[in-house]
Amino acid sequence: MRLATFQPQLGDHCETTTLRNMIHHAGAGISEPMLFGLGQGIDFQYWDAPDPGRGAPMLTGRIEPALVSRNACSALGVELHQAQPPDPESAFAAAVELLDAGHVVGMSVDIFHLDYFSSRSHFASHYIALYGLDDSLAHVVDTGQQGGAQTLPTESLRRARASREGFMPSPHLHLYIEQLPARLTTDTDAVLREGIWNAIRLTAERMTGDRGPRHGIGALRRAASEIAGWSDTLAPADEMVQGVGRFWRFAGTGGANFRKLYRAFLIEARQLYGDGELDPFVRDFGEVQHQWDEVIDMLMAYRGADDGRKQLEAVAARLDAIADAEQAVFEKLLVPAAKRAGEPV
């Protein structure tokens, strides 16, 4: 069966695309950048390689999987349901039951098992929105980069959901929304305006706080301090370094992608409020995004040879500059955000 009234909503990032499809089908049209901003999604996280010396660390530009959805739904007054059946059979049965009840189902999957994905690596923190299912075919919405609405064999979806390989797997995890608050569907902009400044405040507090070497600005500075050594510790260095650049540019999980999404959120917030208080921060994030794009270009152009370390030292300097810029913009943003959210600075 397929949801008869479902209309696929495209997006750039997997989880916010999935959440957008769930909320839109439930009755409210909210943009992907707005959901990302309300979800306090921006961050930088440093995850050690599982086998040091044989792979680069996982460096991501967002908060943990599923947390964006929980934060955004909390800001909107939406009850988000989450479940994790123990096996493929009960997971399949739960999905059928939710579809029969008229719900879009968000799912955590491993991209390795998605037939339409060109990547042949395991990444188990990917999200898709399921809107149709029968014995042989599953109908899902992925990001625009992956073609949006897709159809794949049901068995492939079962394997993708059951996988325990790759980064942060959550086998059989699914999310759904039963019903939106009436006011969110009848006066959506008013609800958004009520939640934006508090979401900005919480994000700025987190980004300016000291959370150690794995999260936030501290993690970014750690990456800057270690990246020059990749020319000696990673093998093959060319392939690994260029792979990090491609991951940040195309995979949606790191670098400029989330800075671009957060800037789009600030632009939309500025339009909703109709004043210019956010204008300087929109400009600042445009510059941050540009700096990230430059770093990614440098990584993708990396050719080790004799000056490999020098090339990565230049990348490290850029990452330090980005850390300074992000620290400064969030410190400045915290002042009006705390005031507008009614909290002491």
Side-chain angles (χ1 to χ4, degrees), residues 2-326:
R2 289 193 228 181
L3 297 174
T5 60
F6 179 76
Q7 298 177 324
Q9 304 298 304
L10 299 186
D12 294 321
H13 171 59
C14 62
E15 186 179 337
T16 41
T17 296
T18 296
L19 180 61
R20 185 185 183 203
N21 277 275
M22 292 162 60
I23 288 180
H24 185 273
H25 184 70
I30 302 175
S31 74
E32 181 186 17
M34 181 58 63
L35 291 171
F36 183 75
L38 290 177
Q40 307 162 45
I42 196 168
D43 202 359
F44 189 85
Q45 298 194 358
Y46 188 114
W47 299 90
D48 293 309
D51 188 1
R54 299 192 62 183
M58 176 71 75
L59 306 173
T60 71
R62 53 153 293 171
I63 58 177
E64 291 84 349
L67 188 53
V68 173
S69 297
R70 292 198 295 271
N71 288 343
C73 285
S74 177
L76 294 168
V78 173
E79 186 175 3
L80 178 70
H81 298 271
Q82 178 175 320
Q84 198 164 3
D87 54 65
E89 290 71 28
S90 55
F92 184 88
V96 170
E97 183 177 347
L98 289 169
L99 289 170
D100 284 341
H103 305 308
V104 175
V105 188
M107 295 180 164
S108 175
V109 294
D110 180 353
I111 64 173
F112 180 85
H113 299 287
L114 300 179
D115 294 49
Y116 56 84
F117 239 92
S118 59
S119 174
R120 291 295 82 204
S121 60
H122 287 279
F123 184 81
S125 294
H126 191 68
Y127 281 79
I128 55 176
L130 177 76
Y131 68 95
L133 191 64
D134 57 39
D135 289 338
S136 61
L137 293 175
H139 306 278
V140 304
V141 179
D142 209 314
T143 62
Q145 182 178 316
Q146 298 305 325
Q150 293 281 4
T151 300
L152 72 159
T154 301
E155 284 306 311
S156 298
L157 181 62
R158 285 178 183 261
R159 291 193 297 271
R161 297 191 67 194
S163 176
R164 297 180 181 275
E165 299 185 73
F167 181 66
M168 296 182 73
S170 299
H172 309 305
L173 177 70
H174 69 248
L175 313 169
Y176 67 97
I177 294 166
E178 285 191 339
Q179 187 174 4
L180 299 180
R183 186 163 171 262
L184 183 58
T185 63
T186 60
D187 200 358
T188 305
D189 285 354
V191 175
L192 296 180
R193 284 192 292 267
E194 290 167 5
I196 285 171
W197 277 111
N198 193 52
I200 293 173
R201 176 185 67 85
L202 292 170
T203 301
E205 286 179 346
R206 175 169 45 78
M207 289 298 290
T208 56
D210 182 1
R211 293 183 291 143
R214 292 184 180 274
H215 298 88
I217 304 298
L220 185 51
R221 295 196 189 280
R222 177 185 175 186
S225 71
E226 295 182 1
I227 199 166
W230 287 4
S231 60
D232 302 319
T233 59
L234 297 184
D238 285 15
E239 179 180 328
M240 293 287 184
V241 172
Q242 293 167 23
V244 171
R246 288 192 298 272
F247 179 76
W248 281 355
R249 175 148 290 162
F250 301 117
T253 301
N257 294 320
F258 287 123
R259 276 60 190 165
K260 179 181 179 181
L261 204 52
Y262 200 76
R263 181 172 182 265
F265 158 67
L266 293 177
I267 291 172
E268 187 173 344
R270 187 257 187 268
Q271 293 168 343
L272 278 170
Y273 286 118
D275 63 45
E277 191 163 13
L278 287 167
D279 285 350
F281 304 106
V282 170
R283 291 192 294 270
D284 288 345
F285 262 92
E287 178 57 29
V288 166
Q289 179 189 332
H290 176 68
Q291 291 184 61
W292 271 107
D293 279 327
E294 289 183 336
V295 164
I296 292 170
D297 287 342
M298 294 167 73
L299 291 172
M300 293 179 66
Y302 175 81
R303 301 292 185 273
D306 295 334
D307 66 342
R309 187 174 186 90
K310 181 180 289 187
Q311 293 176 55
L312 292 181
E313 286 173 351
V315 172
R318 293 293 183 93
L319 288 176
D320 266 328
I322 290 172
D324 291 340
E326 293 197 2

